[in-house]
Amino acid sequence: MDYKYQITIGMPVWGVEKYIKRSLLSVLEQDFEDMEILVIDDCGTDKSIDIATELATNHPKGNKIRIIRQPQNLGCWAARNRVLDEAQGKYIFLIDSDDFLFDNAIPKLYQKAEETQVEATYGSVLPVNEFGHPIDNSGVDGINLPDTVLRGEDLLASFANDNTKKLRLNNFIWNIMLRSDFLRKHQLRFHQTKFWDDVLFNADMQPLVTSAAFISDLTYHYVIRDNSLSNFQKRDIIQAEEVRQNINNHEYLKVQCLSLKEKKYFETRITKMMRAMFYAITGALRNESHLSEPIPYKEYRDAMRHPLSWNEIIKFKHYKSINLIFWLLGNLPPFISIAIIKIIGKSRRLI
């Protein structure tokens, strides 16, 4: 297939007037010419798009920017899908509009992708605050990668699911040089959700990847802001609908594991997803007093239902005990289940 560009860089934009100039400049100033920059206008009310337009008009490389307006505010998931639809590059690279790139990030990732001819090329990530200062002990796992190439079915997914506690490969979808033909072959799309669309996309994508490369060089500044959705626990009022959406996302990840039953990493994967659901529920319980409305304990209990039967779990070679506990938590009466979750959560300082 012929491509108009070697790389399409996609950036969803909504409400980031404080950050978008830094983000776009970090892309425009890459030492790489054969690329397009898709800025997806998600119909915000601030000056983000005015800033993008000014750069497109006046920056020496501004003609690389193509601003595409959504019909209405749809959310990041839809903006990212618009990038997939509009991209004219051999590779697609996503960046969030409050994050920014290291110098020569794109040339480094492109060179590795071309040398190895893999489907996905990952760089390493530096967490920073909104002023660009590194955050020590950020708690973000799976962002410092070894220089390696993985070739073979399930090798990437096995790498990502080699233990149940610490991520070896984070679930972000940005900072990956993805082959367009790979994405289109598998018809990969972002799910409609207010947040975590990247995590859901990764859950769909990783089992399909048969070749991937990592570089240890830092290529991406990940900006962690206190008022982002991923940090909603720091707000005074948390919308109950956000908590329900978070649980629904975890539910998808949990059920999606059923398609991986024959994989060697299945027991690790389902244990991770059940543990993640447990953490999501303890997080909601920790913030009960901040919820916009109470959430019935039955909803939390139902969320803990294991997608496997007791008899299936009994046959596990690994992580049998913890999955049996999760199974019980999903089948006990709600008030007993939540009482146990609170006891465990408090003992582990999760509540």
Side-chain angles (χ1 to χ4, degrees):
M1 180 176 177
D2 293 330
Y3 296 97
K4 188 172 181 179
Y5 305 97
Q6 284 299 297
I7 301 172
T8 293
I9 296 178
M11 179 185 292
V13 173
W14 185 86
V16 287
E17 65 180 5
K18 287 177 60 178
Y19 311 102
I20 188 171
K21 185 172 183 178
R22 177 177 64 184
S23 185
L24 264 177
L25 284 174
S26 77
V27 177
L28 289 166
E29 292 170 3
Q30 294 290 307
D31 187 16
F32 195 89
E33 292 299 322
D34 196 1
M35 67 178 181
E36 63 170 343
I37 304 167
L38 300 186
V39 171
I40 309 301
D41 176 7
D42 202 25
C43 304
T45 58
D46 69 354
K47 296 180 180 179
S48 296
I49 294 303
D50 293 339
I51 295 168
T53 301
E54 191 275 330
L55 286 172
T57 303
N58 297 318
H59 193 278
K61 296 167 74 172
N63 62 344
K64 298 185 182 300
I65 296 174
R66 180 155 57 106
I67 298 174
I68 300 172
R69 184 173 175 83
Q70 293 284 72
Q72 63 191 67
N73 175 241
L74 296 171
C76 189
W77 67 274
R80 285 170 168 164
N81 279 336
R82 190 70 183 270
V83 171
L84 300 186
D85 293 336
E86 298 279 352
Q88 301 177 77
K90 178 180 178 181
Y91 297 98
I92 295 176
F93 180 92
L94 295 172
I95 176 174
D96 281 358
S97 48
D98 52 354
D99 298 335
F100 57 106
L101 302 180
F102 277 86
D103 293 343
N104 292 318
I106 296 302
K108 287 178 180 178
L109 289 164
Y110 175 77
Q111 181 180 358
K112 178 61 71 172
E114 286 289 282
E115 285 176 357
T116 57
Q117 291 295 299
V118 295
E119 295 159 336
T121 305
Y122 295 73
S124 294
V125 176
L126 179 68
V128 298
N129 62 25
E130 60 183 309
F131 305 106
H133 301 142
I135 298 175
D136 296 328
N137 302 316
S138 67
V140 182
D141 295 330
I143 56 175
N144 295 308
L145 301 173
D147 288 303
T148 192
V149 177
L150 302 172
R151 296 188 190 277
E153 185 177 348
D154 296 334
L155 288 186
L156 178 69
S158 295
F159 177 91
N161 293 285
D162 77 333
N163 74 89
T164 64
K165 295 183 179 180
K166 189 172 182 178
L167 291 175
R168 289 192 72 193
L169 182 64
N170 212 292
N171 290 310
F172 303 129
I173 195 59
W174 35 251
N175 198 37
I176 312 172
M177 194 77 73
L178 293 165
R179 286 183 64 107
S180 297
D181 56 0
F182 164 77
L183 297 174
R184 289 171 181 144
K185 173 184 175 182
H186 296 289
Q187 299 180 320
L188 287 162
R189 305 292 289 176
F190 288 92
H191 294 254
Q192 182 175 351
T193 176
K194 191 171 183 179
F195 50 90
W196 266 39
D197 59 295
D198 51 352
V199 177
L200 304 187
F201 188 94
N202 257 305
D204 294 336
M205 181 185 78
Q206 283 182 356
L208 302 172
V209 174
T210 59
S211 60
F214 303 153
I215 63 173
S216 61
D217 289 355
L218 292 168
T219 52
Y220 195 96
H221 296 89
Y222 167 42
V223 178
I224 298 177
R225 294 187 282 142
D226 285 346
N227 62 342
S228 66
L229 280 173
S230 59
N231 286 300
F232 63 73
Q233 69 276 11
K234 296 185 179 181
R235 288 185 265 139
D236 291 332
I237 299 296
I238 301 168
Q239 296 301 314
E241 186 54 36
E242 286 186 23
V243 175
R244 289 189 170 102
Q245 178 72 78
N246 191 33
I247 289 173
N248 287 341
N249 289 341
H250 282 85
E251 183 68 21
Y252 176 84
L253 295 171
K254 187 176 69 173
V255 174
Q256 190 258 2
C257 289
L258 294 176
S259 66
L260 307 173
K261 276 188 175 182
E262 304 306 315
K263 304 296 186 181
K264 292 181 179 179
Y265 57 86
F266 169 68
E267 291 180 12
T268 304
R269 179 69 181 175
I270 188 64
T271 306
K272 283 175 64 175
M273 295 305 99
M274 290 303 302
R275 190 190 297 271
M277 179 67 88
F278 180 85
Y279 289 154
I281 291 171
T282 56
L285 292 171
R286 182 177 65 245
N287 291 285
E288 275 187 295
S289 63
H290 297 283
L291 293 181
S292 60
E293 63 183 75
I295 294 178
Y297 282 177
K298 184 179 183 299
E299 290 188 38
Y300 294 138
R301 190 283 310 270
D302 290 348
M304 281 306 303
R305 289 195 185 276
H306 206 291
L308 300 178
S309 70
W310 181 274
N311 289 336
E312 287 176 306
I313 297 170
I314 284 291
K315 297 175 184 177
F316 273 25
K317 294 180 180 178
H318 308 285
Y319 312 116
K320 184 186 302 183
S321 296
I322 190 171
N323 279 283
L324 290 174
I325 292 171
F326 288 145
W327 188 93
L328 285 169
L329 291 175
N331 285 274
L332 290 168
F335 73 95
I336 297 177
S337 176
I338 300 310
I340 295 172
I341 289 174
K342 285 185 173 182
I343 291 169
I344 298 172
K346 288 177 181 177
S347 71
R348 295 174 178 254
R349 297 183 179 180
L350 300 172
I351 297 178

